[in-house]
Amino acid sequence: MEPTSSTLFGMTGTDLATLLAALATLAILVAIYAAATVRDPMAKRVKALNERREQLKAGITASTAKRRAKLVHQRESTDIMRTLLQKLKVLQDDQVQDAQKKLAQAGIRSKDLAIAVIFGRMILPIVGGGLAAFLIYVANIFPDWSDFKKFGGFAGALLLAYKAPDIFLKNKIDKRSAAIRKGLPDALDLLVICAEAGLTVDAAFGRVAKELGRAYPELGDEFQLTSIELSFLTERRQAFENLAERVDLEALKGVVTTMIQTEKYGTPLASALRVLSAEFRHERMMRAEEKAARLPAIMTVPLILFILPTLFIVILGPAACSISTNL
């Protein structure tokens, strides 16, 4: 009788090794392609900002016939989603506003995608739940699972499908906020220099965006858009409030409050920004020290699992070989 080899999901050890090798090769090819096709991070942002400039010049509410035709062409898919949601009576204004705010904080400028987010919350549970039910109950890919485990897997897939758009947006918002937080002290230092040099507020924001655009593209994007809004909006306060709404960061909200107060009461802008810059720089140093303090505890598990066994093999291996030879 030939010995039966163990299998996992119907695949032997050789099949699994071949699959893992193929995945590793694919990952290497993707990494090489990503490294070879590096693009300018500011190209799409500059294009979006230019479109925003043209919108502000022409007026958001007073669009020409050409602009209306372009908007109609872009919104065909979202109009279908909107019509379906309105027929089902699940579209609410507060949901649309909340989705638009999250999209802006994630760096997505199109407000029409808010309808797609709400539509995804309704459709994805149906698709994901139906697929999970088919795989678990009909295809029976997990025959060893009990009824409780099968129901738990189905409920987990349903919940994950419903939360998928929010998780995606939350992840993008957190990454964007962290990148903006990292470059905010440097941006405030440059704003102080521009204010002391006699530049206006909109010119100072534009200059900072130009200088920090490559190092901190997210922050440069927001400052450039604020500079454009300061130049074209009738109320400068509205431009600052838009900046606070587009970025989910308390530190930047404090900067916006300071800018509004200096604009209203005529207090020196450079001195206020200098104090905020020192505070944010100290906060950034504190976060770095906190991460450094957590490093020994984080390194304990890799040290025990990977480094110590190798060290024991190197030290005790020759002695063990010598003892086995003598015995």
Side-chain angles (χ1 to χ4, degrees):
M1 294 179 61
E2 295 182 356
T4 59
S5 59
S6 59
T7 60
L8 180 64
F9 297 109
M11 293 186 295
T12 62
T14 304
D15 297 335
L16 290 176
T18 304
L19 179 62
L20 292 177
L23 292 177
T25 304
L26 179 62
I28 293 174
L29 293 176
V30 171
I32 294 174
Y33 175 76
T37 58
V38 177
R39 299 179 180 179
D40 187 4
M42 290 296 294
K44 292 183 178 179
R45 293 181 173 88
V46 170
K47 182 179 179 181
L49 292 174
N50 290 332
E51 292 179 356
R52 176 64 174 172
R53 185 192 296 273
E54 296 299 328
Q55 291 176 6
L56 292 173
K57 285 182 178 179
I60 301 299
T61 57
S63 300
T64 60
K66 183 178 180 180
R67 174 172 165 75
R68 290 195 189 98
K70 183 179 179 180
L71 289 176
V72 169
H73 179 71
Q74 292 178 350
R75 294 177 180 175
E76 287 181 354
S77 58
T78 55
D79 286 342
I80 297 175
M81 299 179 188
R82 187 191 302 272
T83 303
L84 180 60
L85 293 174
Q86 288 177 350
K87 288 182 178 180
L88 296 176
K89 297 182 179 180
V90 295
L91 186 62
Q92 300 178 1
D93 293 338
D94 55 347
Q95 290 181 348
V96 176
Q97 293 177 1
D98 182 66
Q100 289 176 351
K101 183 178 179 180
K102 289 182 178 180
L103 287 172
Q105 292 175 353
I108 302 174
R109 302 302 180 194
S110 178
K111 293 184 178 181
D112 294 335
L113 291 180
I115 304 298
V117 172
I118 299 174
F119 187 77
R121 292 174 185 170
M122 184 185 69
I123 294 299
L124 287 179
I126 300 175
V127 177
L131 180 61
F134 174 79
L135 293 176
I136 294 175
Y137 292 104
V138 179
N140 197 17
I141 61 173
F142 302 110
D144 298 334
W145 280 15
S146 62
D147 293 337
F148 181 77
K149 285 186 178 180
K150 289 181 179 181
F151 178 76
F154 170 72
L158 198 65
L159 181 61
L160 181 62
Y162 176 74
K163 289 292 184 180
D166 294 332
I167 293 174
F168 174 75
L169 289 178
K170 181 63 176 176
N171 187 27
K172 290 185 68 66
I173 290 172
D174 292 341
K175 289 183 178 180
R176 184 177 177 83
S177 300
I180 292 176
R181 183 190 294 111
K182 185 178 179 181
L184 189 57
D186 298 334
L188 291 182
D189 288 338
L190 287 177
L191 278 177
V192 170
I193 295 174
C194 293
E196 291 178 345
L199 293 179
T200 59
V201 178
D202 52 346
F205 271 88
R207 183 66 180 180
V208 172
K210 181 180 179 181
E211 295 294 334
L212 296 180
R214 290 190 174 274
Y216 308 105
E218 294 84 4
L219 185 61
D221 182 15
E222 295 297 338
F223 272 36
Q224 185 65 39
L225 184 56
T226 303
S227 174
I228 295 173
E229 290 183 344
L230 285 171
S231 302
F232 292 101
L233 290 181
T234 56
E235 295 184 3
R236 302 168 69 88
R237 179 189 182 95
Q238 185 63 39
F240 293 129
E241 291 178 351
N242 291 341
L243 175 61
E245 290 180 357
R246 290 195 305 268
V247 181
D248 186 21
L249 193 61
E250 293 297 330
L252 191 59
K253 289 180 173 62
V255 175
V256 167
T257 303
T258 302
M259 300 292 290
I260 293 175
Q261 289 178 352
T262 55
E263 188 80 16
K264 182 177 181 180
Y265 299 108
T267 55
L269 177 61
S271 58
L273 291 179
R274 187 179 290 108
V275 173
L276 287 175
S277 175
E279 180 182 351
F280 294 155
R281 197 173 297 279
H282 178 69
E283 181 182 354
R284 185 170 65 178
M285 183 61 66
M286 291 293 292
R287 288 197 302 270
E289 292 177 354
E290 181 182 356
K291 290 183 179 180
R294 293 202 309 264
L295 188 60
I298 296 175
M299 288 296 295
T300 302
V301 176
L303 181 66
I304 295 174
L305 293 180
F306 302 106
I307 299 177
L308 289 181
T310 306
L311 186 62
F312 288 155
I313 292 173
V314 171
I315 295 176
L316 300 178
C321 292
S322 178
I323 293 173
S324 64
T325 302
N326 293 331
L327 294 178

